[in-house]
Amino acid sequence: MKDERAMTENNFLWDKAPEQVPYPTALAEMEAQARGIRAGTHPERVWLLEHPPTYTAGTSAKDSDLFNPRGYPTYPAGRGGQWTYHGPGQRVAYAMLDLTRPRAMVPPRDLRAYVHALEEWIIRTLARFGVTGERRAERIGVWVVDPATGREEKIAAIGVRVSRWVSWHGIAINVDPDLSDFGGIVPCGISEYGVTSLAKLGRRVRMEDVDAALAETWESCLGPIRGTQA
């Protein structure tokens, strides 16, 4: 599988997988990239992709929160959090970054600020499509209130792992996935609220438009991308 990638002049790789990436393949590649960043042999990287239908378990996942009636593959993710669904129509963005360096909203070695910046990245991206994303102090991820129903629902998930101050894993925005697949788990251990997508909110946007918005909002949240992106 060949990625569309562009190495920028500040040793930063922004790339997009043209095909769905199996979760174990992505996990191995992220881990290798993180090791290389620590060793100084690999650039920092943002990797945009989609997975085939998959359930992944964070370090706090409970067996009782997995139902999986369609028998999708399940994998331990090694990140924080609980159960998450990934599948077609969901834009996953994995960020492999050296957090010892200051970047936009994030001081060196500040994990809380890093998670806040990832949330802000999602919120500013959603705003490009007229969707108001919000934080909730007691719940991870980004949430919206559906104007048609008044219900609060989750539109994006965040899960990170930091190894010796190099981050991996990242975010997942529901563009137009099959939302019924979220019924195979208790998403992030939260059963009181539903899950939504840009499509469910009436925003029929292309994945390419979401990718462009992610690139445009990255700099204000997490630092510059110099050069030409793929």
Side-chain angles (χ1 to χ4, degrees):
M1 186 186 336
K2 183 180 174 62
D3 287 338
E4 302 171 26
R5 54 178 61 191
M7 183 78 76
T8 65
E9 63 188 59
N10 62 335
N11 202 34
F12 192 105
L13 185 64
W14 183 281
D15 64 294
K16 178 170 63 176
E19 301 170 354
Q20 293 177 16
V21 181
Y23 194 78
T25 301
L27 202 61
E29 189 159 343
M30 279 193 290
E31 188 169 13
Q33 191 87 23
R35 284 198 306 267
I37 292 170
R38 285 196 300 272
T41 59
H42 289 54
E44 296 183 306
R45 180 184 184 190
V46 172
W47 188 18
L48 307 179
L49 53 85
E50 292 175 84
H51 290 301
T54 302
Y55 297 120
T56 69
T59 53
S60 302
K62 302 172 183 176
D63 291 343
S64 59
D65 285 345
L66 174 69
F67 317 119
N68 198 7
R70 296 174 181 172
Y72 291 149
T74 63
Y75 301 103
R79 54 160 173 78
Q82 303 190 43
W83 285 103
T84 298
Y85 167 76
H86 294 305
Q90 183 187 70
R91 173 50 82 216
V92 174
Y94 290 133
M96 290 144 273
L97 306 172
D98 178 1
L99 297 184
T100 66
R101 297 176 50 233
R103 57 183 68 249
M105 296 180 172
V106 187
R109 296 181 173 86
D110 191 331
L111 182 55
R112 185 182 298 272
Y114 175 58
V115 172
H116 182 90
L118 291 177
E119 291 172 339
E120 189 64 25
W121 184 33
I122 296 168
I123 288 168
R124 295 186 185 190
T125 296
L126 294 175
R128 297 296 178 100
F129 306 105
V131 172
T132 301
E134 300 177 350
R135 296 178 177 87
R136 292 293 179 265
E138 71 280 11
R139 291 179 252 131
I140 195 70
V142 174
W143 301 77
V144 300
V145 176
D146 189 326
T149 65
R151 291 191 61 195
E152 186 174 85
E153 297 177 313
K154 190 172 188 176
I155 195 169
I158 298 173
V160 301
R161 181 170 178 178
V162 176
S163 305
R164 291 166 55 193
W165 291 111
V166 174
S167 71
W168 39 312
H169 297 278
I171 69 169
I173 299 175
N174 297 332
V175 180
D176 189 13
D178 182 347
L179 293 177
S180 69
D181 283 336
F182 285 91
I185 56 171
V186 177
C188 300
I190 300 171
S191 58
E192 301 93 325
Y193 301 91
V195 179
T196 192
S197 66
L198 285 170
K200 184 181 176 183
L201 294 169
R203 273 63 170 186
R204 294 286 178 178
V205 300
R206 300 177 304 160
M207 194 67 77
E208 291 81 1
D209 297 328
V210 175
D211 294 343
L214 285 167
E216 291 163 4
T217 55
W218 172 268
E219 183 167 352
S220 63
C221 299
L222 287 148
I225 305 172
R226 303 192 184 105
T228 303
Q229 299 156 22

